[in-house]
Amino acid sequence: MTLVAGFSIAPTWMRGQAWRREDSRAEELLSGGPIIDAVVRAERAGFDVAFRPDALTLPLGTIGSDPAHLGLDPIVQAAQLAGATRRIGLVVTVSATFSEPYPVARQLVSLEHLAPGRIGWNVVTSRSGDEQFSVERLPDSVARWRRAEELIDVVESLRAGFPAAAMQVDRDSGVLVDVERVRPTNHAGENFRVAGPLPLPVPTPRPLPLMVAGGGESTIALTGRRADAMFASAIEIESGVSQRAAVRAAAKDAGRRDRPLLLPGLSLVLAGTRGEAAAIERATYPPSGQRRSAGPHWSVVGTPEDAVASIVARAEARAIDGFIAFPVGSWRSVELLCDEVMPRLRARGFVGDGTTSLRAR
């Protein structure tokens, strides 16, 4: 079983009190430099995907001492990473609760030109952020995910409306764009009215790799119909087994032959010994703190061998198709994840060498 290995673009090794460590590079956070270094290292280690989660609020109650919600815009950060990497897939998060299809499609297609064949998107229905937008939140989960599916439909229609073949750039004839091949979207639906077309062609006619985040019935149903993967919280193995079975059943019910992947978050506090890792976790999230390193995710606090054993156990239990790793507590977690965990998993046949395309994975 070859897993999809995902690396979080969020600088989780700085969160909690970890930013106070001398090696955190917290001063450079908003330059993007530490993120670039982490993702380049992850690419060399053979990770398939760099995944950018997102939040739409700045909690003033915690931001004074925890940088968890600070960071560049996901699209801007992905553009920066596109130029710094060569192979790894870049998946950005889009809020279907508040976003409009036209700007989302334009941003994603722009990223496709910067990183051909390496862009995907993660669609969420945001739990917060209402105060930042004029769009009113729909009243129930079913309606919010219906809006999300309409957003997906319109984005893909906009992408299809300006195919790469329409760009002629024929100097002899004077034809830059074959206008006959460009079509408007003219969408008028329950939530959106969009004319199109986009002001740039799409590099590939295939739909973008799509991930959705969640775990409720509506999320699982949409995953079954449309998504390539679901990013989920699966703290226990049993939760992963049940969610993986649910998305596969939903895909079968939708008449799909391919199977969406379950990619739970994996929080990793890594060190040379278990005692050292436990001490790092206590320093990162002291007893008086408001959160622990695991957050809502599966967690390993220990050595690289412990991380490998936990991942292998879940793979063998058919509780995962891959994982999104969040290195926590110190930059050392990033180093050990890339330099020790990934080679061990590869030696045992659980991850590939990172040369397979995002779409193929």
Side-chain angles (χ1 to χ4, degrees):
M1 181 182 192
T2 303
L3 303 172
V4 173
F7 183 90
S8 172
I9 296 174
T12 45
W13 67 89
M14 294 187 195
R15 292 186 176 177
Q17 297 300 296
W19 66 273
R20 300 173 66 181
R21 295 175 61 95
E22 290 296 326
D23 63 351
S24 74
R25 298 175 65 187
E27 296 85 353
E28 303 174 56
L29 172 60
L30 300 181
S31 73
I35 306 295
I36 290 174
D37 290 347
V39 174
V40 167
R41 193 176 196 120
E43 181 175 59
R44 288 201 304 263
F47 275 90
D48 300 295
V49 175
F51 169 74
R52 177 58 158 86
D54 194 28
L56 300 173
T57 56
L58 184 67
L60 298 180
T62 60
I63 198 64
S65 60
D66 184 345
H69 287 74
L70 293 176
L72 300 177
D73 178 87
I75 299 295
V76 173
Q77 193 155 63
Q80 186 182 45
L81 288 168
T85 57
R86 294 292 176 267
R87 177 203 53 76
I88 195 167
L90 302 171
V91 175
V92 296
T93 295
V94 172
S95 171
T97 304
F98 302 114
S99 297
E100 290 285 331
Y102 185 90
V104 168
R106 187 179 188 182
Q107 290 166 344
L108 291 173
V109 173
S110 296
L111 287 176
E112 288 184 81
H113 283 278
L114 299 179
R118 297 199 286 134
I119 302 301
W121 56 323
N122 172 49
V123 173
V124 302
T125 58
S126 301
R127 296 179 179 179
S128 60
D130 300 68
E131 66 276 14
Q132 317 296 358
F133 300 92
S134 301
V135 178
E136 290 190 10
R137 177 186 297 273
L138 293 170
D140 60 81
S141 176
V142 172
R144 288 192 290 273
W145 281 109
R146 196 164 61 241
R147 187 182 200 271
E149 188 159 15
E150 187 179 350
L151 176 84
I152 294 165
D153 285 337
V154 182
V155 166
E156 288 299 344
S157 177
L158 286 163
R159 290 182 69 251
F162 195 160
M167 281 295 296
Q168 298 290 298
V169 196
D170 188 331
R171 291 176 174 84
D172 293 334
S173 68
V175 176
L176 179 66
V177 176
D178 182 353
V179 180
E180 295 299 318
R181 298 191 182 193
V182 181
R183 62 167 179 78
T185 294
N186 290 331
H187 174 86
E190 180 182 0
N191 299 283
F192 305 113
R193 295 177 65 86
V194 184
L198 293 174
L200 74 171
V202 67
T204 173
R206 297 193 64 180
L208 284 175
L210 172 67
M211 184 185 299
V212 298
E217 290 183 9
S218 297
T219 316
I220 290 170
L222 178 58
T223 301
R225 290 193 301 273
R226 305 294 297 272
D228 299 292
M230 186 172 81
F231 174 58
S233 172
I235 297 174
E236 304 297 336
I237 286 183
E238 295 77 13
S239 174
V241 171
S242 63
Q243 289 187 72
R244 185 172 182 265
V247 295
R248 289 181 165 221
K252 183 177 180 180
D253 290 345
R256 288 176 58 176
R257 299 182 66 180
D258 58 328
R259 295 172 174 178
L261 307 178
L262 181 73
L263 306 179
L266 169 57
S267 172
L268 295 166
V269 181
L270 299 177
T273 67
R274 292 175 181 173
E276 197 180 345
I280 291 172
E281 184 189 38
R282 287 193 299 271
T284 302
Y285 295 102
S288 59
Q290 297 182 0
R291 56 185 291 186
R292 295 182 67 255
S293 61
H297 296 302
W298 159 31
S299 176
V300 175
V301 179
T303 65
E305 292 85 354
D306 292 328
V308 170
S310 182
I311 293 167
V312 169
R314 295 220 177 194
E316 291 180 340
R318 297 295 188 264
I320 58 173
D321 295 297
F323 54 88
I324 305 293
F326 293 78
V328 174
S330 73
W331 179 255
R332 187 66 177 144
S333 288
V334 176
E335 294 174 337
L336 292 173
L337 169 62
C338 293
D339 300 347
E340 295 196 26
V341 174
M342 286 294 286
R344 284 174 166 85
L345 288 172
R346 185 171 301 109
R348 297 182 63 172
F350 284 95
V351 298
D353 58 7
T355 59
T356 307
S357 70
L358 177 60
R359 166 58 64 188
R361 294 298 295 122

